Amino acid sequence: MAADSHTSPFVLPDLPYAPDAFGAVISARTFSFHHGKHHKTYVDNANALAEKAGLGSASVVEIVRRAKADAALTPLFNNAAQSWNHSFYWNSLSPNQQRPEGELAKQITQSFGGWDKFAQQLTDAAVGRFASGWAWLVAEPNGALAITTTMNADTPIADAKQKPLLTIDVWEHAYYLDHQNLRKAYVEAVVNNHLNWTFAAQNLESGG
Ligand code: MN
């Protein structure tokens, strides 16, 4: 690739909604730090570390997987995975309440026994994730839906098994300005009123 056509693998995306669209649940102040500072820093660090590792032309997913497999590349893994996780998280949120529809609604019922049980299980997983990390709705290789959590920067895309459909960031920086220590208040509001089921359905249908 010619030097003048080189683009960095990691990009800070625009938020897909206005930063004040979530009211007091996730404030504009939280988005200003979380997107404008935390995510931006992960993106900048990931690009610099990828370049240093000779992976400046690789895809984001390839960088995440190669860095996970090499203990010497742990700092790259942490910043690369956090870059991907945050882009996925912004899209996992919806300002307006949605519920799963069609095939996805059917699969939620099959895998969890209905919306209420699903919502409780996801809330419990997100609240119970000790320290920093992420709660995920994923599709297993056999097609069943499942809830899982990852620690710190870890992400289901690091191995090619589970396909992520939605995520909730449960690092303190995601909720502390708005809810202080009350992670459960943040998680319950997101699970019940602010998950983007259109995005989840797109991910379920995608081949990747
Ligand atoms: Mn975060």
Side-chain angles (χ1 to χ4, degrees), residues 41 43 54 60 68 82 150 185 207:
T41 300
V43 166
V60 167
K68 172 110 189 219
Q82 283 294 78
T150 57

Side-chain angles (χ1 to χ4, degrees), residues 138-150:
V138 298
E140 298 283 9
N142 67 6
L145 303 188
I147 288 164
T148 189
T149 66
T150 57

Side-chain angles (χ1 to χ4, degrees), residues 21-91:
F22 295 81
V25 173
I26 306 170
S27 66
R29 184 168 150 78
T30 288
F31 278 116
S32 77
F33 283 98
H34 199 182
H35 175 262
K37 306 286 184 193
H38 289 280
H39 192 183
K40 183 177 190 307
T41 300
Y42 294 131
V43 166
D44 292 345
N45 288 342
N47 281 326
L49 291 165
E51 193 70 43
K52 202 171 143 196
L55 294 170
S57 298
S59 75
V60 167
V61 172
E62 190 184 344
I63 291 168
V64 167
R65 289 181 182 160
R66 286 179 62 171
K68 172 110 189 219
D70 184 347
L73 296 179
T74 297
L76 172 58
F77 174 76
N78 287 336
N79 285 282
Q82 283 294 78
S83 295
W84 190 92
N85 289 348
H86 281 89
S87 293
F88 196 81
Y89 170 63
W90 310 133
N91 284 313

Side-chain angles (χ1 to χ4, degrees), residues 103-115 117-119 121 137-140 142-147 165 204:
E103 181 60 26
L104 188 50
K106 209 169 86 187
Q107 294 208 26
I108 292 280
T109 299
Q110 279 171 0
S111 297
F112 303 102
W115 169 266
K117 287 178 180 165
F118 160 78
Q121 200 175 320
L137 173 64
V138 298
E140 298 283 9
N142 67 6
L145 303 188
I147 288 164
L165 306 185
L204 185 65

